[in-house]
Amino acid sequence: MLLRSAMTGLLAASLFQPVLAGNAETYEPEAEHVNDNVYAIIGPTDARTYENHGMNANYGVIATDEGVILIDAGPGAFSGPYIERAVAEVSDQPVRWVVNIGVQDHRWLGNDYFQQQGAEVIAFEKTVESQKEFADQHMEGRLPDALEDRFEGTQPGYAKRVLEGDTASITLGGTEIELSLTDAHFPGDAMAYLPAADVVFTGDLVYVDRMLGIHPWSNPQNGLEAFARLEAIDPAHVVPGHGRVSDMERARRDSGDYYDFLVNTVGEAARNFEAMSDVLDANEDVERFKHLEHYDSWHRTNMNRTFILFEGM
Ligand SMILES: [Zn+2]
């Protein structure tokens, strides 16, 4: 604490990003009010770094009289207490449930920490299966590389309460959550809709401010279909997987329209046997997506992977 107050003075006139304000060494997550009893921890949109300890994604905090529900667990053992402190700012209840809506490392490697604190982890069966498939890769990948000693003590933990099928409804303390699989960024990804507060946590289905990434295991066709289901819900508040709390207009502009572009321009060209290099060159500069952070490093790769996926269909 002494270090923190000393750092606060040092930082007063510095140029650190707001997300790091207060401590140059360690990102301190905060629970931002979304609506009613629903809060979001909005992580920085840059890469996994030692300073942000892998919390470069968004998480949900739902305060009920019977305990707090976390949407996604964070990246590991180190981030656990930081999340708990953010929760303590908005509720005096313990974290009772952790609902996993994602398969990417920083969404679920914190499960084990919260299980040790007594929380129940809940996820779709498909989410758990996919987490198990990716566990070795996550435990040896970018996250431990970036976190170094801050990765110590992190180990995979899996939901004990497993939900079958591709939709489910769960309720704690009078707060209902409607879950559905999206299977877009990772197989087994899901979104969480809170009807009373009119909030959707989209997980990695929606990115705003930064360009969504298509990995070899991502499926933009599923993304397009899941986005249509999100539009049918038409929530007032959208908490994306990455980027600020938004409305549907911004979600469409930054992600929905991009799925549409990938599937109906790039994918369509692949199905029509056009040459991949011609398609990528012709779509190198798409003005309406250029405001998105990481455009230069991701856009061509995203088109490339989409093309390959649709070539085989
Ligand atoms: Zn993500």
Side-chain angles (χ1 to χ4, degrees), residues 48 56-57 104 106-107 185-186 203-204 207 210 241-242:
R48 293 158 184 73
N56 61 331
Q104 200 158 28
H106 51 199
R107 302 208 164 275
H185 196 56
F186 275 68
D204 285 325
Y207 289 31
R210 57 163 285 189
H242 300 269

